Amino acid sequence: MNFEAPIPANRSVDGWKDVEIKENGEPLVLLNNYAPDHITVLQQYYLQGLSNSINECFCREGLATRLLTAAKAMPAGYKLLIWDAWRPIEVQNELFEIYKGKLEQDTELTGEALINEAQKYISLPSTDQTKPSPHLTGGAIDLTMIDANGQRLDMGTEFDHFGPEAQTDYFETKPNPSKKDISIKKNRRFLYNLLTAAGFTNYPHEWWHFDYGNQFWAVQTGREAIYNQTTAPSQ
């Protein structure tokens, strides 16, 4: 596997809401103890104390299988660190309102322009069966890597950094890159190529966000989506 292949430009999820979904009925599985030698979970929104957040991390079975395939392809001792996957609609609502409020304070955007800008990083909360929020389907996952010493690889930004630096290919074309920039570019390529080789697609505005089976994935692969909204087993 070529971990150092450049991240392609001009990737887009435009038109994802128009993709047909044919739900395949796959269950959600718990990632917390799914493959502890290869995958570890640190539920960020639970740690941040968001209302209705949960410490359990669920995703669709097909996504979990591909996640393990990717994790096993990493160097010995490396692990995937999962920050979030399936997300309750209440958490999606809270995240959207928090970010929209920040945009209202920091910009002059209002109305539809404000909503559109907020959606760049936080999908509009929706349980619409034709266009559910990606994380609500169990087919979206937010993650990074840790090395054999348990240290996170430097990806250039923190999780949920909402700015141009978070674009997956940002360091591909950064002018006059420093040694640190080159190292970050290498790490992002590592994560991107690892996950896409296992069947995932990446949301281009967030280096940490990958999809399988949902409408984001479908619009990039030209296939039908197979995951609609779902609920956690305990709900």
Side-chain angles (χ1 to χ4, degrees), residues 94-145:
E94 187 170 358
L95 287 170
F96 189 82
E97 290 302 319
I98 289 171
Y99 184 52
K100 182 164 70 72
K102 185 176 185 304
L103 281 175
E104 285 179 309
Q105 289 182 342
D106 297 346
T107 71
E108 296 181 355
L109 295 173
T110 58
E112 186 176 349
L114 176 67
I115 297 296
N116 289 338
E117 182 63 20
Q119 286 189 82
K120 184 183 293 185
Y121 296 106
I122 304 290
S123 292
L124 190 67
S126 174
T127 58
D128 186 329
Q129 290 281 336
T130 66
K131 49 187 176 184
S133 303
H135 276 280
L136 191 58
T137 70
I141 193 158
D142 299 330
L143 77 171
T144 191
M145 293 176 165

Short mmCIF file of all heavy atoms in Angstrom, two decimals, residues 94-145:
data_model
loop_
_atom_site.label_atom_id
_atom_site.label_comp_id
_atom_site.label_asym_id
_atom_site.label_seq_id
_atom_site.Cartn_x
_atom_site.Cartn_y
_atom_site.Cartn_z
N GLU A 94 -27.17 20.19 19.09
CA GLU A 94 -26.38 21.03 19.97
C GLU A 94 -25.11 21.51 19.28
O GLU A 94 -24.74 22.69 19.37
CB GLU A 94 -26.02 20.27 21.25
CG GLU A 94 -25.33 21.14 22.29
CD GLU A 94 -25.19 20.46 23.64
OE1 GLU A 94 -25.65 19.31 23.80
OE2 GLU A 94 -24.60 21.09 24.54
N LEU A 95 -24.43 20.62 18.56
CA LEU A 95 -23.22 20.99 17.85
C LEU A 95 -23.51 22.07 16.80
O LEU A 95 -22.76 23.04 16.66
CB LEU A 95 -22.61 19.77 17.17
CG LEU A 95 -21.92 18.75 18.08
CD1 LEU A 95 -21.58 17.49 17.29
CD2 LEU A 95 -20.66 19.35 18.69
N PHE A 96 -24.61 21.89 16.07
CA PHE A 96 -24.95 22.84 15.02
C PHE A 96 -25.25 24.22 15.61
O PHE A 96 -24.77 25.24 15.10
CB PHE A 96 -26.16 22.34 14.23
CG PHE A 96 -26.44 23.16 12.99
CD1 PHE A 96 -25.74 22.94 11.82
CD2 PHE A 96 -27.40 24.17 13.01
CE1 PHE A 96 -25.98 23.70 10.69
CE2 PHE A 96 -27.65 24.93 11.88
CZ PHE A 96 -26.94 24.69 10.72
N GLU A 97 -26.01 24.25 16.69
CA GLU A 97 -26.36 25.53 17.29
C GLU A 97 -25.14 26.23 17.90
O GLU A 97 -25.01 27.46 17.82
CB GLU A 97 -27.44 25.33 18.36
CG GLU A 97 -28.80 24.94 17.79
CD GLU A 97 -29.33 25.98 16.81
OE1 GLU A 97 -29.18 27.19 17.08
OE2 GLU A 97 -29.88 25.57 15.77
N ILE A 98 -24.23 25.46 18.48
CA ILE A 98 -23.00 26.04 19.04
C ILE A 98 -22.18 26.70 17.94
O ILE A 98 -21.73 27.85 18.07
CB ILE A 98 -22.17 24.96 19.77
CG1 ILE A 98 -22.85 24.54 21.07
CG2 ILE A 98 -20.76 25.48 20.06
CD1 ILE A 98 -22.21 23.33 21.74
N TYR A 99 -21.99 25.97 16.83
CA TYR A 99 -21.16 26.52 15.76
C TYR A 99 -21.85 27.68 15.04
O TYR A 99 -21.22 28.68 14.71
CB TYR A 99 -20.78 25.42 14.76
CG TYR A 99 -19.85 25.91 13.69
CD1 TYR A 99 -18.66 26.59 14.03
CD2 TYR A 99 -20.14 25.73 12.35
CE1 TYR A 99 -17.81 27.06 13.05
CE2 TYR A 99 -19.28 26.20 11.37
CZ TYR A 99 -18.11 26.86 11.72
OH TYR A 99 -17.26 27.34 10.75
N LYS A 100 -23.16 27.55 14.83
CA LYS A 100 -23.90 28.64 14.19
C LYS A 100 -23.82 29.90 15.06
O LYS A 100 -23.65 31.02 14.54
CB LYS A 100 -25.35 28.23 13.96
CG LYS A 100 -26.19 29.30 13.23
CD LYS A 100 -27.47 28.72 12.69
CE LYS A 100 -28.44 28.36 13.78
NZ LYS A 100 -29.05 29.56 14.42
N GLY A 101 -23.92 29.74 16.37
CA GLY A 101 -23.81 30.89 17.26
C GLY A 101 -22.44 31.53 17.20
O GLY A 101 -22.32 32.77 17.24
N LYS A 102 -21.41 30.71 17.07
CA LYS A 102 -20.05 31.25 16.95
C LYS A 102 -19.90 32.05 15.65
O LYS A 102 -19.30 33.13 15.64
CB LYS A 102 -19.03 30.12 17.01
CG LYS A 102 -17.58 30.60 17.02
CD LYS A 102 -16.63 29.43 17.16
CE LYS A 102 -15.19 29.91 17.31
NZ LYS A 102 -14.73 30.76 16.22
N LEU A 103 -20.45 31.52 14.57
CA LEU A 103 -20.39 32.22 13.29
C LEU A 103 -21.13 33.55 13.36
O LEU A 103 -20.68 34.55 12.79
CB LEU A 103 -20.99 31.36 12.18
CG LEU A 103 -20.11 30.23 11.61
CD1 LEU A 103 -20.91 29.40 10.62
CD2 LEU A 103 -18.86 30.80 10.97
N GLU A 104 -22.26 33.57 14.05
CA GLU A 104 -23.02 34.81 14.19
C GLU A 104 -22.20 35.88 14.91
O GLU A 104 -22.28 37.07 14.59
CB GLU A 104 -24.32 34.54 14.94
CG GLU A 104 -25.38 33.83 14.12
CD GLU A 104 -26.63 33.56 14.91
OE1 GLU A 104 -26.54 32.99 16.01
OE2 GLU A 104 -27.72 33.92 14.43
N GLN A 105 -21.40 35.46 15.88
CA GLN A 105 -20.56 36.39 16.63
C GLN A 105 -19.35 36.85 15.82
O GLN A 105 -18.94 38.02 15.91
CB GLN A 105 -20.07 35.74 17.93
CG GLN A 105 -21.17 35.54 18.96
CD GLN A 105 -20.62 34.94 20.24
OE1 GLN A 105 -19.53 34.37 20.26
NE2 GLN A 105 -21.38 35.06 21.33
N ASP A 106 -18.77 35.94 15.05
CA ASP A 106 -17.49 36.20 14.40
C ASP A 106 -17.60 36.73 12.98
O ASP A 106 -16.60 37.18 12.40
CB ASP A 106 -16.63 34.93 14.39
CG ASP A 106 -16.28 34.45 15.79
OD1 ASP A 106 -16.45 35.25 16.74
OD2 ASP A 106 -15.84 33.30 15.93
N THR A 107 -18.78 36.64 12.37
CA THR A 107 -18.95 37.07 10.99
C THR A 107 -20.19 37.95 10.88
O THR A 107 -20.92 38.16 11.85
CB THR A 107 -19.12 35.86 10.04
OG1 THR A 107 -20.42 35.25 10.24
CG2 THR A 107 -18.04 34.81 10.28
N GLU A 108 -20.42 38.45 9.68
CA GLU A 108 -21.63 39.23 9.42
C GLU A 108 -22.69 38.40 8.69
O GLU A 108 -23.67 38.94 8.19
CB GLU A 108 -21.27 40.46 8.58
CG GLU A 108 -20.33 41.43 9.32
CD GLU A 108 -19.99 42.65 8.48
OE1 GLU A 108 -20.41 42.70 7.31
OE2 GLU A 108 -19.32 43.56 9.02
N LEU A 109 -22.50 37.10 8.66
CA LEU A 109 -23.44 36.23 7.96
C LEU A 109 -24.78 36.17 8.69
O LEU A 109 -24.83 36.16 9.92
CB LEU A 109 -22.87 34.82 7.85
CG LEU A 109 -21.60 34.65 7.00
CD1 LEU A 109 -21.06 33.24 7.13
CD2 LEU A 109 -21.90 34.98 5.53
N THR A 110 -25.85 36.11 7.91
CA THR A 110 -27.20 35.95 8.48
C THR A 110 -28.01 35.04 7.56
O THR A 110 -27.61 34.75 6.42
CB THR A 110 -27.93 37.31 8.58
OG1 THR A 110 -28.00 37.90 7.26
CG2 THR A 110 -27.20 38.25 9.53
N GLY A 111 -29.14 34.59 8.06
CA GLY A 111 -30.10 33.86 7.24
C GLY A 111 -29.52 32.63 6.57
O GLY A 111 -28.78 31.84 7.17
N GLU A 112 -29.83 32.45 5.30
CA GLU A 112 -29.43 31.26 4.55
C GLU A 112 -27.91 31.17 4.41
O GLU A 112 -27.34 30.08 4.47
CB GLU A 112 -30.07 31.27 3.16
CG GLU A 112 -29.83 30.00 2.36
CD GLU A 112 -30.56 29.98 1.04
OE1 GLU A 112 -31.43 30.87 0.83
OE2 GLU A 112 -30.28 29.10 0.21
N ALA A 113 -27.24 32.32 4.25
CA ALA A 113 -25.78 32.31 4.13
C ALA A 113 -25.13 31.77 5.40
O ALA A 113 -24.14 31.03 5.35
CB ALA A 113 -25.28 33.72 3.84
N LEU A 114 -25.70 32.12 6.54
CA LEU A 114 -25.20 31.64 7.83
C LEU A 114 -25.39 30.12 7.93
O LEU A 114 -24.47 29.40 8.32
CB LEU A 114 -25.92 32.35 8.97
CG LEU A 114 -25.58 31.88 10.39
CD1 LEU A 114 -24.13 32.21 10.73
CD2 LEU A 114 -26.52 32.53 11.39
N ILE A 115 -26.58 29.66 7.57
CA ILE A 115 -26.87 28.22 7.63
C ILE A 115 -25.94 27.45 6.70
O ILE A 115 -25.39 26.40 7.06
CB ILE A 115 -28.34 27.95 7.25
CG1 ILE A 115 -29.29 28.61 8.25
CG2 ILE A 115 -28.60 26.45 7.17
CD1 ILE A 115 -29.19 28.07 9.65
N ASN A 116 -25.73 27.96 5.50
CA ASN A 116 -24.88 27.27 4.52
C ASN A 116 -23.44 27.18 4.99
O ASN A 116 -22.77 26.15 4.81
CB ASN A 116 -24.95 27.97 3.16
CG ASN A 116 -26.28 27.78 2.48
OD1 ASN A 116 -27.01 26.84 2.77
ND2 ASN A 116 -26.61 28.67 1.56
N GLU A 117 -22.94 28.25 5.59
CA GLU A 117 -21.57 28.23 6.09
C GLU A 117 -21.44 27.27 7.26
O GLU A 117 -20.44 26.53 7.36
CB GLU A 117 -21.14 29.63 6.50
CG GLU A 117 -19.70 29.73 7.00
CD GLU A 117 -18.66 29.39 5.96
OE1 GLU A 117 -18.98 29.44 4.74
OE2 GLU A 117 -17.52 29.07 6.34
N ALA A 118 -22.43 27.26 8.15
CA ALA A 118 -22.39 26.35 9.29
C ALA A 118 -22.38 24.90 8.84
O ALA A 118 -21.71 24.05 9.42
CB ALA A 118 -23.58 26.61 10.21
N GLN A 119 -23.11 24.61 7.76
CA GLN A 119 -23.20 23.24 7.25
C GLN A 119 -21.90 22.73 6.66
O GLN A 119 -21.74 21.52 6.45
CB GLN A 119 -24.30 23.14 6.19
CG GLN A 119 -25.71 23.17 6.72
CD GLN A 119 -26.72 22.87 5.65
OE1 GLN A 119 -26.97 21.72 5.31
NE2 GLN A 119 -27.29 23.92 5.07
N LYS A 120 -20.97 23.61 6.40
CA LYS A 120 -19.68 23.18 5.85
C LYS A 120 -18.97 22.25 6.83
O LYS A 120 -18.26 21.32 6.43
CB LYS A 120 -18.81 24.39 5.53
CG LYS A 120 -17.48 24.04 4.86
CD LYS A 120 -16.63 25.28 4.64
CE LYS A 120 -17.22 26.22 3.62
NZ LYS A 120 -16.31 27.36 3.34
N TYR A 121 -19.19 22.50 8.13
CA TYR A 121 -18.50 21.70 9.14
C TYR A 121 -19.43 20.88 10.02
O TYR A 121 -19.02 19.84 10.54
CB TYR A 121 -17.65 22.62 10.03
CG TYR A 121 -16.55 23.31 9.25
CD1 TYR A 121 -16.65 24.66 8.92
CD2 TYR A 121 -15.44 22.61 8.81
CE1 TYR A 121 -15.65 25.29 8.20
CE2 TYR A 121 -14.43 23.23 8.09
CZ TYR A 121 -14.55 24.57 7.78
OH TYR A 121 -13.57 25.20 7.05
N ILE A 122 -20.67 21.32 10.19
CA ILE A 122 -21.64 20.56 10.98
C ILE A 122 -22.89 20.40 10.13
O ILE A 122 -23.56 21.40 9.82
CB ILE A 122 -22.02 21.29 12.29
CG1 ILE A 122 -20.78 21.61 13.14
CG2 ILE A 122 -23.01 20.44 13.09
CD1 ILE A 122 -20.11 20.41 13.74
N SER A 123 -23.22 19.18 9.75
CA SER A 123 -24.39 18.96 8.91
C SER A 123 -25.65 19.45 9.61
O SER A 123 -25.80 19.28 10.83
CB SER A 123 -24.54 17.48 8.55
OG SER A 123 -23.50 17.06 7.71
N LEU A 124 -26.55 20.02 8.84
CA LEU A 124 -27.83 20.47 9.37
C LEU A 124 -28.55 19.28 10.00
O LEU A 124 -28.73 18.25 9.36
CB LEU A 124 -28.69 21.06 8.25
CG LEU A 124 -29.96 21.79 8.66
CD1 LEU A 124 -29.62 23.07 9.42
CD2 LEU A 124 -30.79 22.12 7.43
N PRO A 125 -28.93 19.37 11.27
CA PRO A 125 -29.59 18.24 11.93
C PRO A 125 -30.84 17.82 11.17
O PRO A 125 -31.72 18.64 10.91
CB PRO A 125 -29.93 18.79 13.32
CG PRO A 125 -28.97 19.92 13.53
CD PRO A 125 -28.75 20.52 12.18
N SER A 126 -30.91 16.56 10.79
CA SER A 126 -32.04 16.09 10.01
C SER A 126 -32.27 14.61 10.22
O SER A 126 -31.32 13.82 10.18
CB SER A 126 -31.82 16.37 8.52
OG SER A 126 -32.85 15.80 7.75
N THR A 127 -33.54 14.25 10.43
CA THR A 127 -33.93 12.85 10.45
C THR A 127 -34.76 12.51 9.21
O THR A 127 -35.39 11.47 9.15
CB THR A 127 -34.74 12.51 11.72
OG1 THR A 127 -35.90 13.36 11.76
CG2 THR A 127 -33.92 12.70 12.97
N ASP A 128 -34.73 13.40 8.24
CA ASP A 128 -35.43 13.17 6.97
C ASP A 128 -34.90 11.88 6.34
O ASP A 128 -33.70 11.74 6.12
CB ASP A 128 -35.18 14.36 6.04
CG ASP A 128 -35.98 14.30 4.75
OD1 ASP A 128 -36.26 13.18 4.26
OD2 ASP A 128 -36.30 15.37 4.21
N GLN A 129 -35.80 10.95 6.03
CA GLN A 129 -35.39 9.65 5.49
C GLN A 129 -34.69 9.76 4.14
O GLN A 129 -34.03 8.82 3.70
CB GLN A 129 -36.62 8.75 5.36
CG GLN A 129 -37.22 8.28 6.67
CD GLN A 129 -36.45 7.13 7.28
OE1 GLN A 129 -35.75 6.40 6.60
NE2 GLN A 129 -36.57 6.97 8.59
N THR A 130 -34.81 10.91 3.47
CA THR A 130 -34.15 11.08 2.18
C THR A 130 -32.80 11.77 2.29
O THR A 130 -32.01 11.74 1.34
CB THR A 130 -35.03 11.89 1.20
OG1 THR A 130 -35.17 13.24 1.68
CG2 THR A 130 -36.40 11.25 1.06
N LYS A 131 -32.51 12.39 3.43
CA LYS A 131 -31.24 13.11 3.60
C LYS A 131 -30.88 13.24 5.08
O LYS A 131 -30.75 14.34 5.60
CB LYS A 131 -31.32 14.48 2.94
CG LYS A 131 -32.56 15.29 3.30
CD LYS A 131 -32.66 16.57 2.48
CE LYS A 131 -33.95 17.31 2.78
NZ LYS A 131 -34.13 18.51 1.95
N PRO A 132 -30.69 12.11 5.76
CA PRO A 132 -30.33 12.17 7.18
C PRO A 132 -28.92 12.71 7.39
O PRO A 132 -28.05 12.55 6.53
CB PRO A 132 -30.42 10.69 7.61
CG PRO A 132 -30.09 9.94 6.36
CD PRO A 132 -30.71 10.74 5.25
N SER A 133 -28.69 13.34 8.51
CA SER A 133 -27.34 13.79 8.86
C SER A 133 -26.40 12.59 8.81
O SER A 133 -26.73 11.52 9.35
CB SER A 133 -27.33 14.41 10.25
OG SER A 133 -28.26 15.48 10.33
N PRO A 134 -25.23 12.71 8.18
CA PRO A 134 -24.34 11.55 7.99
C PRO A 134 -24.01 10.76 9.25
O PRO A 134 -24.04 9.53 9.23
CB PRO A 134 -23.08 12.19 7.37
CG PRO A 134 -23.59 13.39 6.65
CD PRO A 134 -24.71 13.92 7.50
N HIS A 135 -23.72 11.45 10.36
CA HIS A 135 -23.38 10.72 11.58
C HIS A 135 -24.58 9.97 12.16
O HIS A 135 -24.40 9.00 12.90
CB HIS A 135 -22.81 11.68 12.62
CG HIS A 135 -21.35 11.95 12.46
ND1 HIS A 135 -20.37 11.10 12.90
CD2 HIS A 135 -20.70 13.00 11.89
CE1 HIS A 135 -19.17 11.60 12.62
NE2 HIS A 135 -19.35 12.76 12.01
N LEU A 136 -25.78 10.40 11.82
CA LEU A 136 -26.98 9.73 12.33
C LEU A 136 -27.18 8.36 11.70
O LEU A 136 -27.91 7.53 12.22
CB LEU A 136 -28.21 10.61 12.07
CG LEU A 136 -29.52 10.22 12.75
CD1 LEU A 136 -29.37 10.19 14.27
CD2 LEU A 136 -30.63 11.19 12.36
N THR A 137 -26.49 8.10 10.59
CA THR A 137 -26.64 6.82 9.89
C THR A 137 -25.74 5.73 10.43
O THR A 137 -25.92 4.55 10.10
CB THR A 137 -26.31 6.99 8.39
OG1 THR A 137 -24.90 7.21 8.23
CG2 THR A 137 -27.08 8.14 7.77
N GLY A 138 -24.74 6.10 11.23
CA GLY A 138 -23.75 5.11 11.65
C GLY A 138 -22.71 4.84 10.59
O GLY A 138 -21.87 3.95 10.75
N GLY A 139 -22.74 5.62 9.50
CA GLY A 139 -21.80 5.44 8.40
C GLY A 139 -20.75 6.53 8.30
O GLY A 139 -20.06 6.61 7.29
N ALA A 140 -20.64 7.37 9.33
CA ALA A 140 -19.61 8.42 9.37
C ALA A 140 -18.77 8.22 10.62
O ALA A 140 -19.29 7.82 11.67
CB ALA A 140 -20.25 9.80 9.38
N ILE A 141 -17.48 8.50 10.50
CA ILE A 141 -16.59 8.31 11.65
C ILE A 141 -15.52 9.38 11.66
O ILE A 141 -15.02 9.80 10.61
CB ILE A 141 -15.97 6.90 11.62
CG1 ILE A 141 -15.31 6.57 12.95
CG2 ILE A 141 -15.01 6.72 10.44
CD1 ILE A 141 -15.14 5.08 13.19
N ASP A 142 -15.19 9.87 12.86
CA ASP A 142 -14.15 10.86 13.06
C ASP A 142 -12.99 10.20 13.80
O ASP A 142 -13.21 9.62 14.88
CB ASP A 142 -14.67 12.04 13.89
CG ASP A 142 -15.82 12.77 13.20
OD1 ASP A 142 -15.85 12.78 11.96
OD2 ASP A 142 -16.67 13.33 13.91
N LEU A 143 -11.79 10.31 13.25
CA LEU A 143 -10.69 9.54 13.83
C LEU A 143 -9.33 10.12 13.48
O LEU A 143 -9.20 10.98 12.62
CB LEU A 143 -10.77 8.09 13.37
CG LEU A 143 -10.30 7.75 11.95
CD1 LEU A 143 -10.25 6.23 11.76
CD2 LEU A 143 -11.17 8.35 10.87
N THR A 144 -8.32 9.61 14.16
CA THR A 144 -6.93 9.91 13.86
C THR A 144 -6.10 8.66 14.16
O THR A 144 -6.65 7.57 14.31
CB THR A 144 -6.43 11.14 14.65
OG1 THR A 144 -5.17 11.54 14.14
CG2 THR A 144 -6.34 10.87 16.14
N MET A 145 -4.77 8.83 14.22
CA MET A 145 -3.87 7.70 14.48
C MET A 145 -3.01 7.98 15.70
O MET A 145 -2.66 9.12 15.98
CB MET A 145 -2.92 7.49 13.29
CG MET A 145 -3.56 7.04 12.01
SD MET A 145 -2.25 7.00 10.74
CE MET A 145 -3.09 6.05 9.49
#
